[in-house]
Amino acid sequence: MSQLATQPPPVDLELKKALAELKLKMIDTNQKIKFSDAQIEGLKRSVLHKTITDKEIAKLTSETRVYQGVGRCFFASTIPEVREGIAKSVTDLNEKVQVFENNKEHLERDLKSSENAVRELVNQRKNN
């Protein structure tokens, strides 16, 4: 009788495998979420920089010479052209931010559903 009391309960291999997969998925998902957060912050910083630049350019007189950076060069341009380019760039950056935020939300939902699936598996094993 004492031998039965000292033996550990049998290991459920399916449950152990599911928990290991969840752990790997959580690590991978958390890394992707952190990457998305970093990308979002960088893009928001760029939007802020471009917005401030646009406000400063708007204060300039129409006779002021402005230059627009293209690669490693600068070309003379008009203030409306520069502001139009900044507005287009801000729109593109905001769209990228939205894509990253949607991706992040999807990753978080996927992680929650995986956790719930494993939780259900554990509860099912306890009930049996």
Side-chain angles (χ1 to χ4, degrees), residues 8 10 21-22 39 71 93 97-98 110 116-117 122 125 127-128:
E21 287 176 3
L22 176 65
Q39 291 286 15
L93 289 171
V97 166
Q98 189 62 41
D110 192 34
N116 289 337
V122 169
R125 297 293 182 206
N127 293 335
N128 289 341

Side-chain angles (χ1 to χ4, degrees), residues 15-28:
L15 182 60
K16 189 174 181 178
K17 182 180 176 184
L19 290 174
E21 287 176 3
L22 176 65
K23 185 175 181 178
L24 290 174
K25 188 171 189 172
M26 284 179 65
I27 291 169
D28 183 50

Side-chain angles (χ1 to χ4, degrees), residues 17-62:
K17 182 180 176 184
L19 290 174
E21 287 176 3
L22 176 65
K23 185 175 181 178
L24 290 174
K25 188 171 189 172
M26 284 179 65
I27 291 169
D28 183 50
T29 303
N30 284 332
Q31 287 175 346
K32 288 179 181 178
I33 289 172
K34 286 179 184 177
F35 175 74
S36 292
D37 285 338
Q39 291 286 15
I40 289 168
E41 288 304 313
L43 291 171
K44 285 182 178 180
R45 220 175 298 117
S46 295
V47 167
L48 179 63
H49 181 264
K50 291 190 180 293
T51 304
I52 292 170
T53 302
D54 186 51
K55 287 179 184 177
E56 291 300 316
I57 289 176
K59 295 177 185 177
L60 299 175
T61 62
S62 60

Side-chain angles (χ1 to χ4, degrees), residues 68-115:
Q68 193 166 11
V70 179
R72 299 171 80 183
C73 302
F74 290 95
F75 292 106
S77 185
T78 63
I79 290 177
E81 287 175 350
V82 172
R83 292 191 72 200
E84 181 181 318
I86 290 173
K88 183 181 181 298
S89 180
V90 166
T91 303
D92 292 343
L93 289 171
N94 283 329
E95 288 173 3
K96 288 180 183 179
V97 166
Q98 189 62 41
V99 167
F100 276 110
E101 287 177 346
N102 290 341
N103 187 27
K104 180 182 167 186
E105 289 173 8
H106 174 72
L107 289 169
E108 289 171 346
R109 281 193 310 265
D110 192 34
L111 182 63
K112 287 284 186 191
S113 68
S114 296
E115 288 174 354

